[in-house]
PDB file of all heavy atoms in Angstrom:
ATOM      1  N   LEU A   1      83.484 -26.355-117.005  1.00  0.00           N
ATOM      2  CA  LEU A   1      83.523 -25.132-117.803  1.00  0.00           C
ATOM      3  C   LEU A   1      84.952 -24.811-118.244  1.00  0.00           C
ATOM      4  O   LEU A   1      85.179 -24.432-119.392  1.00  0.00           O
ATOM      5  CB  LEU A   1      82.940 -23.960-117.013  1.00  0.00           C
ATOM      6  CG  LEU A   1      82.893 -22.618-117.725  1.00  0.00           C
ATOM      7  CD1 LEU A   1      81.994 -22.696-118.947  1.00  0.00           C
ATOM      8  CD2 LEU A   1      82.434 -21.535-116.780  1.00  0.00           C
ATOM      9  N   LEU A   2      85.911 -24.988-117.358  1.00  0.00           N
ATOM     10  CA  LEU A   2      87.310 -24.757-117.716  1.00  0.00           C
ATOM     11  C   LEU A   2      87.790 -25.738-118.790  1.00  0.00           C
ATOM     12  O   LEU A   2      88.501 -25.349-119.713  1.00  0.00           O
ATOM     13  CB  LEU A   2      88.196 -24.841-116.480  1.00  0.00           C
ATOM     14  CG  LEU A   2      88.034 -23.716-115.465  1.00  0.00           C
ATOM     15  CD1 LEU A   2      88.880 -23.985-114.235  1.00  0.00           C
ATOM     16  CD2 LEU A   2      88.379 -22.385-116.078  1.00  0.00           C
ATOM     17  N   MET A   3      87.379 -26.997-118.680  1.00  0.00           N
ATOM     18  CA  MET A   3      87.759 -27.978-119.695  1.00  0.00           C
ATOM     19  C   MET A   3      87.081 -27.672-121.030  1.00  0.00           C
ATOM     20  O   MET A   3      87.672 -27.869-122.099  1.00  0.00           O
ATOM     21  CB  MET A   3      87.397 -29.398-119.252  1.00  0.00           C
ATOM     22  CG  MET A   3      88.250 -29.937-118.124  1.00  0.00           C
ATOM     23  SD  MET A   3      89.996 -30.010-118.565  1.00  0.00           S
ATOM     24  CE  MET A   3      90.669 -28.894-117.367  1.00  0.00           C
ATOM     25  N   PHE A   4      85.848 -27.164-120.982  1.00  0.00           N
ATOM     26  CA  PHE A   4      85.163 -26.760-122.209  1.00  0.00           C
ATOM     27  C   PHE A   4      85.899 -25.614-122.897  1.00  0.00           C
ATOM     28  O   PHE A   4      86.092 -25.629-124.115  1.00  0.00           O
ATOM     29  CB  PHE A   4      83.721 -26.355-121.900  1.00  0.00           C
ATOM     30  CG  PHE A   4      83.005 -25.764-123.079  1.00  0.00           C
ATOM     31  CD1 PHE A   4      82.548 -26.579-124.093  1.00  0.00           C
ATOM     32  CD2 PHE A   4      82.814 -24.399-123.169  1.00  0.00           C
ATOM     33  CE1 PHE A   4      81.900 -26.035-125.193  1.00  0.00           C
ATOM     34  CE2 PHE A   4      82.168 -23.850-124.250  1.00  0.00           C
ATOM     35  CZ  PHE A   4      81.710 -24.673-125.274  1.00  0.00           C
ATOM     36  N   ILE A   5      86.330 -24.648-122.116  1.00  0.00           N
ATOM     37  CA  ILE A   5      87.080 -23.513-122.674  1.00  0.00           C
ATOM     38  C   ILE A   5      88.407 -23.991-123.256  1.00  0.00           C
ATOM     39  O   ILE A   5      88.816 -23.568-124.338  1.00  0.00           O
ATOM     40  CB  ILE A   5      87.279 -22.417-121.606  1.00  0.00           C
ATOM     41  CG1 ILE A   5      85.925 -21.775-121.267  1.00  0.00           C
ATOM     42  CG2 ILE A   5      88.280 -21.369-122.067  1.00  0.00           C
ATOM     43  CD1 ILE A   5      85.958 -20.876-120.061  1.00  0.00           C
ATOM     44  N   LYS A   6      89.073 -24.888-122.545  1.00  0.00           N
ATOM     45  CA  LYS A   6      90.335 -25.455-123.032  1.00  0.00           C
ATOM     46  C   LYS A   6      90.121 -26.191-124.353  1.00  0.00           C
ATOM     47  O   LYS A   6      90.889 -26.025-125.308  1.00  0.00           O
ATOM     48  CB  LYS A   6      90.885 -26.412-121.972  1.00  0.00           C
ATOM     49  CG  LYS A   6      92.138 -27.123-122.371  1.00  0.00           C
ATOM     50  CD  LYS A   6      92.549 -28.083-121.254  1.00  0.00           C
ATOM     51  CE  LYS A   6      93.519 -29.098-121.774  1.00  0.00           C
ATOM     52  NZ  LYS A   6      93.839 -30.122-120.804  1.00  0.00           N
ATOM     53  N   LEU A   7      89.066 -26.976-124.444  1.00  0.00           N
ATOM     54  CA  LEU A   7      88.762 -27.705-125.672  1.00  0.00           C
ATOM     55  C   LEU A   7      88.414 -26.745-126.806  1.00  0.00           C
ATOM     56  O   LEU A   7      88.840 -26.937-127.942  1.00  0.00           O
ATOM     57  CB  LEU A   7      87.609 -28.678-125.418  1.00  0.00           C
ATOM     58  CG  LEU A   7      87.220 -29.626-126.535  1.00  0.00           C
ATOM     59  CD1 LEU A   7      88.378 -30.539-126.892  1.00  0.00           C
ATOM     60  CD2 LEU A   7      86.019 -30.446-126.119  1.00  0.00           C
ATOM     61  N   ALA A   8      87.689 -25.685-126.502  1.00  0.00           N
ATOM     62  CA  ALA A   8      87.322 -24.701-127.522  1.00  0.00           C
ATOM     63  C   ALA A   8      88.554 -23.964-128.053  1.00  0.00           C
ATOM     64  O   ALA A   8      88.679 -23.740-129.268  1.00  0.00           O
ATOM     65  CB  ALA A   8      86.315 -23.709-126.950  1.00  0.00           C
ATOM     66  N   ILE A   9      89.467 -23.596-127.173  1.00  0.00           N
ATOM     67  CA  ILE A   9      90.689 -22.915-127.600  1.00  0.00           C
ATOM     68  C   ILE A   9      91.540 -23.843-128.468  1.00  0.00           C
ATOM     69  O   ILE A   9      92.050 -23.444-129.519  1.00  0.00           O
ATOM     70  CB  ILE A   9      91.483 -22.396-126.384  1.00  0.00           C
ATOM     71  CG1 ILE A   9      90.732 -21.234-125.735  1.00  0.00           C
ATOM     72  CG2 ILE A   9      92.895 -21.980-126.775  1.00  0.00           C
ATOM     73  CD1 ILE A   9      91.298 -20.812-124.400  1.00  0.00           C
ATOM     74  N   GLY A  10      91.693 -25.079-128.046  1.00  0.00           N
ATOM     75  CA  GLY A  10      92.475 -26.037-128.825  1.00  0.00           C
ATOM     76  C   GLY A  10      91.856 -26.313-130.182  1.00  0.00           C
ATOM     77  O   GLY A  10      92.554 -26.350-131.201  1.00  0.00           O
ATOM     78  N   LEU A  11      90.543 -26.475-130.223  1.00  0.00           N
ATOM     79  CA  LEU A  11      89.867 -26.716-131.494  1.00  0.00           C
ATOM     80  C   LEU A  11      89.948 -25.502-132.404  1.00  0.00           C
ATOM     81  O   LEU A  11      90.137 -25.642-133.617  1.00  0.00           O
ATOM     82  CB  LEU A  11      88.412 -27.102-131.256  1.00  0.00           C
ATOM     83  CG  LEU A  11      87.586 -27.434-132.484  1.00  0.00           C
ATOM     84  CD1 LEU A  11      88.198 -28.597-133.240  1.00  0.00           C
ATOM     85  CD2 LEU A  11      86.163 -27.739-132.088  1.00  0.00           C
ATOM     86  N   GLY A  12      89.850 -24.319-131.826  1.00  0.00           N
ATOM     87  CA  GLY A  12      89.999 -23.100-132.618  1.00  0.00           C
ATOM     88  C   GLY A  12      91.387 -22.990-133.226  1.00  0.00           C
ATOM     89  O   GLY A  12      91.537 -22.614-134.397  1.00  0.00           O
ATOM     90  N   ALA A  13      92.409 -23.334-132.461  1.00  0.00           N
ATOM     91  CA  ALA A  13      93.785 -23.277-132.980  1.00  0.00           C
ATOM     92  C   ALA A  13      93.999 -24.301-134.086  1.00  0.00           C
ATOM     93  O   ALA A  13      94.618 -23.991-135.113  1.00  0.00           O
ATOM     94  CB  ALA A  13      94.786 -23.502-131.847  1.00  0.00           C
ATOM     95  N   VAL A  14      93.483 -25.505-133.912  1.00  0.00           N
ATOM     96  CA  VAL A  14      93.634 -26.530-134.949  1.00  0.00           C
ATOM     97  C   VAL A  14      92.891 -26.108-136.215  1.00  0.00           C
ATOM     98  O   VAL A  14      93.421 -26.199-137.321  1.00  0.00           O
ATOM     99  CB  VAL A  14      93.119 -27.898-134.448  1.00  0.00           C
ATOM    100  CG1 VAL A  14      93.028 -28.888-135.588  1.00  0.00           C
ATOM    101  CG2 VAL A  14      94.023 -28.439-133.365  1.00  0.00           C
ATOM    102  N   SER A  15      91.673 -25.633-136.063  1.00  0.00           N
ATOM    103  CA  SER A  15      90.883 -25.213-137.222  1.00  0.00           C
ATOM    104  C   SER A  15      91.545 -24.058-137.955  1.00  0.00           C
ATOM    105  O   SER A  15      91.640 -24.065-139.185  1.00  0.00           O
ATOM    106  CB  SER A  15      89.476 -24.810-136.795  1.00  0.00           C
ATOM    107  OG  SER A  15      88.788 -25.901-136.261  1.00  0.00           O
ATOM    108  N   TYR A  16      92.006 -23.068-137.215  1.00  0.00           N
ATOM    109  CA  TYR A  16      92.676 -21.928-137.849  1.00  0.00           C
ATOM    110  C   TYR A  16      93.975 -22.369-138.519  1.00  0.00           C
ATOM    111  O   TYR A  16      94.319 -21.875-139.588  1.00  0.00           O
ATOM    112  CB  TYR A  16      92.940 -20.821-136.833  1.00  0.00           C
ATOM    113  CG  TYR A  16      93.458 -19.561-137.472  1.00  0.00           C
ATOM    114  CD1 TYR A  16      92.613 -18.753-138.220  1.00  0.00           C
ATOM    115  CD2 TYR A  16      94.784 -19.199-137.350  1.00  0.00           C
ATOM    116  CE1 TYR A  16      93.090 -17.602-138.825  1.00  0.00           C
ATOM    117  CE2 TYR A  16      95.275 -18.052-137.950  1.00  0.00           C
ATOM    118  CZ  TYR A  16      94.417 -17.256-138.685  1.00  0.00           C
ATOM    119  OH  TYR A  16      94.889 -16.128-139.290  1.00  0.00           O
ATOM    120  N   GLY A  17      94.687 -23.297-137.901  1.00  0.00           N
ATOM    121  CA  GLY A  17      95.907 -23.807-138.500  1.00  0.00           C
ATOM    122  C   GLY A  17      95.654 -24.546-139.810  1.00  0.00           C
ATOM    123  O   GLY A  17      96.482 -24.536-140.702  1.00  0.00           O
ATOM    124  N   LEU A  18      94.502 -25.174-139.923  1.00  0.00           N
ATOM    125  CA  LEU A  18      94.195 -25.913-141.140  1.00  0.00           C
ATOM    126  C   LEU A  18      93.656 -25.035-142.262  1.00  0.00           C
ATOM    127  O   LEU A  18      93.906 -25.312-143.432  1.00  0.00           O
ATOM    128  CB  LEU A  18      93.188 -27.029-140.842  1.00  0.00           C
ATOM    129  CG  LEU A  18      93.717 -28.201-140.033  1.00  0.00           C
ATOM    130  CD1 LEU A  18      92.585 -29.174-139.721  1.00  0.00           C
ATOM    131  CD2 LEU A  18      94.826 -28.911-140.763  1.00  0.00           C
ATOM    132  N   ILE A  19      92.895 -23.981-141.930  1.00  0.00           N
ATOM    133  CA  ILE A  19      92.228 -23.224-142.995  1.00  0.00           C
ATOM    134  C   ILE A  19      92.824 -21.845-143.258  1.00  0.00           C
ATOM    135  O   ILE A  19      92.398 -21.173-144.191  1.00  0.00           O
ATOM    136  CB  ILE A  19      90.720 -23.078-142.719  1.00  0.00           C
ATOM    137  CG1 ILE A  19      90.464 -22.264-141.467  1.00  0.00           C
ATOM    138  CG2 ILE A  19      90.043 -24.416-142.674  1.00  0.00           C
ATOM    139  CD1 ILE A  19      89.010 -21.930-141.217  1.00  0.00           C
ATOM    140  N   SER A  20      93.804 -21.426-142.477  1.00  0.00           N
ATOM    141  CA  SER A  20      94.344 -20.078-142.674  1.00  0.00           C
ATOM    142  C   SER A  20      95.275 -20.035-143.884  1.00  0.00           C
ATOM    143  O   SER A  20      95.705 -21.053-144.400  1.00  0.00           O
ATOM    144  CB  SER A  20      95.089 -19.614-141.424  1.00  0.00           C
ATOM    145  OG  SER A  20      96.297 -20.310-141.296  1.00  0.00           O
ATOM    146  N   LYS A  21      95.580 -18.828-144.300  1.00  0.00           N
ATOM    147  CA  LYS A  21      96.475 -18.605-145.443  1.00  0.00           C
ATOM    148  C   LYS A  21      97.857 -18.140-144.975  1.00  0.00           C
ATOM    149  O   LYS A  21      98.581 -17.513-145.713  1.00  0.00           O
ATOM    150  CB  LYS A  21      95.876 -17.546-146.377  1.00  0.00           C
ATOM    151  CG  LYS A  21      94.529 -17.900-146.912  1.00  0.00           C
ATOM    152  CD  LYS A  21      94.638 -19.043-147.887  1.00  0.00           C
ATOM    153  CE  LYS A  21      93.255 -19.300-148.484  1.00  0.00           C
ATOM    154  NZ  LYS A  21      93.149 -20.563-149.139  1.00  0.00           N
ATOM    155  N   GLN A  22      98.215 -18.455-143.757  1.00  0.00           N
ATOM    156  CA  GLN A  22      99.506 -18.064-143.192  1.00  0.00           C
ATOM    157  C   GLN A  22     100.625 -18.933-143.764  1.00  0.00           C
ATOM    158  O   GLN A  22     100.396 -19.849-144.539  1.00  0.00           O
ATOM    159  CB  GLN A  22      99.476 -18.203-141.668  1.00  0.00           C
ATOM    160  CG  GLN A  22      98.467 -17.332-140.969  1.00  0.00           C
ATOM    161  CD  GLN A  22      98.872 -15.880-141.002  1.00  0.00           C
ATOM    162  OE1 GLN A  22     100.040 -15.545-140.980  1.00  0.00           O
ATOM    163  NE2 GLN A  22      97.886 -15.004-141.066  1.00  0.00           N
ATOM    164  N   ASN A  23     101.830 -18.644-143.329  1.00  0.00           N
ATOM    165  CA  ASN A  23     103.012 -19.438-143.649  1.00  0.00           C
ATOM    166  C   ASN A  23     102.780 -20.888-143.177  1.00  0.00           C
ATOM    167  O   ASN A  23     102.123 -21.130-142.171  1.00  0.00           O
ATOM    168  CB  ASN A  23     104.210 -18.821-142.933  1.00  0.00           C
ATOM    169  CG  ASN A  23     105.503 -19.511-143.233  1.00  0.00           C
ATOM    170  OD1 ASN A  23     105.553 -20.501-143.955  1.00  0.00           O
ATOM    171  ND2 ASN A  23     106.568 -18.975-142.674  1.00  0.00           N
ATOM    172  N   PHE A  24     103.349 -21.838-143.885  1.00  0.00           N
ATOM    173  CA  PHE A  24     103.149 -23.246-143.547  1.00  0.00           C
ATOM    174  C   PHE A  24     103.608 -23.565-142.130  1.00  0.00           C
ATOM    175  O   PHE A  24     102.951 -24.310-141.415  1.00  0.00           O
ATOM    176  CB  PHE A  24     103.876 -24.154-144.549  1.00  0.00           C
ATOM    177  CG  PHE A  24     103.762 -25.601-144.214  1.00  0.00           C
ATOM    178  CD1 PHE A  24     102.573 -26.275-144.422  1.00  0.00           C
ATOM    179  CD2 PHE A  24     104.837 -26.289-143.670  1.00  0.00           C
ATOM    180  CE1 PHE A  24     102.457 -27.620-144.093  1.00  0.00           C
ATOM    181  CE2 PHE A  24     104.728 -27.622-143.342  1.00  0.00           C
ATOM    182  CZ  PHE A  24     103.536 -28.297-143.562  1.00  0.00           C
ATOM    183  N   MET A  25     104.732 -23.005-141.705  1.00  0.00           N
ATOM    184  CA  MET A  25     105.247 -23.287-140.364  1.00  0.00           C
ATOM    185  C   MET A  25     104.339 -22.718-139.286  1.00  0.00           C
ATOM    186  O   MET A  25     104.156 -23.343-138.233  1.00  0.00           O
ATOM    187  CB  MET A  25     106.674 -22.747-140.215  1.00  0.00           C
ATOM    188  CG  MET A  25     107.685 -23.460-141.105  1.00  0.00           C
ATOM    189  SD  MET A  25     107.676 -25.256-140.907  1.00  0.00           S
ATOM    190  CE  MET A  25     108.360 -25.426-139.293  1.00  0.00           C
ATOM    191  N   VAL A  26     103.739 -21.564-139.533  1.00  0.00           N
ATOM    192  CA  VAL A  26     102.796 -20.975-138.574  1.00  0.00           C
ATOM    193  C   VAL A  26     101.557 -21.866-138.471  1.00  0.00           C
ATOM    194  O   VAL A  26     101.074 -22.149-137.373  1.00  0.00           O
ATOM    195  CB  VAL A  26     102.413 -19.539-138.998  1.00  0.00           C
ATOM    196  CG1 VAL A  26     101.305 -18.987-138.132  1.00  0.00           C
ATOM    197  CG2 VAL A  26     103.632 -18.639-138.972  1.00  0.00           C
ATOM    198  N   ARG A  27     101.077 -22.319-139.615  1.00  0.00           N
ATOM    199  CA  ARG A  27      99.904 -23.189-139.620  1.00  0.00           C
ATOM    200  C   ARG A  27     100.193 -24.509-138.909  1.00  0.00           C
ATOM    201  O   ARG A  27      99.370 -24.995-138.132  1.00  0.00           O
ATOM    202  CB  ARG A  27      99.468 -23.452-141.053  1.00  0.00           C
ATOM    203  CG  ARG A  27      98.909 -22.217-141.717  1.00  0.00           C
ATOM    204  CD  ARG A  27      98.615 -22.386-143.176  1.00  0.00           C
ATOM    205  NE  ARG A  27      97.912 -23.629-143.463  1.00  0.00           N
ATOM    206  CZ  ARG A  27      97.936 -24.223-144.640  1.00  0.00           C
ATOM    207  NH1 ARG A  27      98.616 -23.704-145.625  1.00  0.00           N
ATOM    208  NH2 ARG A  27      97.277 -25.333-144.826  1.00  0.00           N
ATOM    209  N   LEU A  28     101.358 -25.071-139.161  1.00  0.00           N
ATOM    210  CA  LEU A  28     101.743 -26.311-138.505  1.00  0.00           C
ATOM    211  C   LEU A  28     101.871 -26.115-137.002  1.00  0.00           C
ATOM    212  O   LEU A  28     101.423 -26.950-136.208  1.00  0.00           O
ATOM    213  CB  LEU A  28     103.061 -26.825-139.098  1.00  0.00           C
ATOM    214  CG  LEU A  28     103.558 -28.157-138.588  1.00  0.00           C
ATOM    215  CD1 LEU A  28     102.596 -29.266-138.978  1.00  0.00           C
ATOM    216  CD2 LEU A  28     104.944 -28.442-139.128  1.00  0.00           C
ATOM    217  N   GLY A  29     102.458 -25.001-136.592  1.00  0.00           N
ATOM    218  CA  GLY A  29     102.583 -24.696-135.170  1.00  0.00           C
ATOM    219  C   GLY A  29     101.245 -24.511-134.493  1.00  0.00           C
ATOM    220  O   GLY A  29     101.035 -24.985-133.371  1.00  0.00           O
ATOM    221  N   LEU A  30     100.311 -23.838-135.157  1.00  0.00           N
ATOM    222  CA  LEU A  30      98.976 -23.654-134.593  1.00  0.00           C
ATOM    223  C   LEU A  30      98.246 -24.982-134.439  1.00  0.00           C
ATOM    224  O   LEU A  30      97.613 -25.244-133.403  1.00  0.00           O
ATOM    225  CB  LEU A  30      98.149 -22.716-135.472  1.00  0.00           C
ATOM    226  CG  LEU A  30      98.340 -21.243-135.257  1.00  0.00           C
ATOM    227  CD1 LEU A  30      97.632 -20.446-136.340  1.00  0.00           C
ATOM    228  CD2 LEU A  30      97.823 -20.839-133.897  1.00  0.00           C
ATOM    229  N   ALA A  31      98.319 -25.815-135.459  1.00  0.00           N
ATOM    230  CA  ALA A  31      97.651 -27.112-135.383  1.00  0.00           C
ATOM    231  C   ALA A  31      98.260 -27.980-134.287  1.00  0.00           C
ATOM    232  O   ALA A  31      97.536 -28.613-133.507  1.00  0.00           O
ATOM    233  CB  ALA A  31      97.721 -27.811-136.735  1.00  0.00           C
ATOM    234  N   ALA A  32      99.572 -27.986-134.182  1.00  0.00           N
ATOM    235  CA  ALA A  32     100.232 -28.783-133.148  1.00  0.00           C
ATOM    236  C   ALA A  32      99.926 -28.242-131.750  1.00  0.00           C
ATOM    237  O   ALA A  32      99.652 -29.012-130.827  1.00  0.00           O
ATOM    238  CB  ALA A  32     101.740 -28.801-133.389  1.00  0.00           C
ATOM    239  N   ALA A  33      99.958 -26.925-131.600  1.00  0.00           N
ATOM    240  CA  ALA A  33      99.645 -26.331-130.296  1.00  0.00           C
ATOM    241  C   ALA A  33      98.196 -26.607-129.911  1.00  0.00           C
ATOM    242  O   ALA A  33      97.901 -26.896-128.742  1.00  0.00           O
ATOM    243  CB  ALA A  33      99.908 -24.829-130.330  1.00  0.00           C
ATOM    244  N   GLY A  34      97.301 -26.542-130.873  1.00  0.00           N
ATOM    245  CA  GLY A  34      95.900 -26.850-130.590  1.00  0.00           C
ATOM    246  C   GLY A  34      95.704 -28.278-130.139  1.00  0.00           C
ATOM    247  O   GLY A  34      94.956 -28.549-129.191  1.00  0.00           O
ATOM    248  N   LEU A  35      96.389 -29.209-130.790  1.00  0.00           N
ATOM    249  CA  LEU A  35      96.284 -30.616-130.373  1.00  0.00           C
ATOM    250  C   LEU A  35      96.879 -30.816-128.984  1.00  0.00           C
ATOM    251  O   LEU A  35      96.337 -31.598-128.189  1.00  0.00           O
ATOM    252  CB  LEU A  35      96.968 -31.510-131.394  1.00  0.00           C
ATOM    253  CG  LEU A  35      96.253 -31.665-132.732  1.00  0.00           C
ATOM    254  CD1 LEU A  35      97.099 -32.467-133.706  1.00  0.00           C
ATOM    255  CD2 LEU A  35      94.887 -32.319-132.537  1.00  0.00           C
ATOM    256  N   LEU A  36      97.968 -30.133-128.687  1.00  0.00           N
ATOM    257  CA  LEU A  36      98.546 -30.249-127.344  1.00  0.00           C
ATOM    258  C   LEU A  36      97.603 -29.699-126.288  1.00  0.00           C
ATOM    259  O   LEU A  36      97.467 -30.292-125.207  1.00  0.00           O
ATOM    260  CB  LEU A  36      99.888 -29.507-127.286  1.00  0.00           C
ATOM    261  CG  LEU A  36     101.063 -30.204-127.926  1.00  0.00           C
ATOM    262  CD1 LEU A  36     102.291 -29.308-127.906  1.00  0.00           C
ATOM    263  CD2 LEU A  36     101.359 -31.516-127.220  1.00  0.00           C
TER     264      LEU A  36
END
């Protein structure tokens, strides 16, 4: 369950980093943090 939550948080960060309308550096940081 903990690994599922970790995977969900990471996937959410990557997805938000790819589709959001934020600054490019914020989006890049979110995608990188999600992958980590």
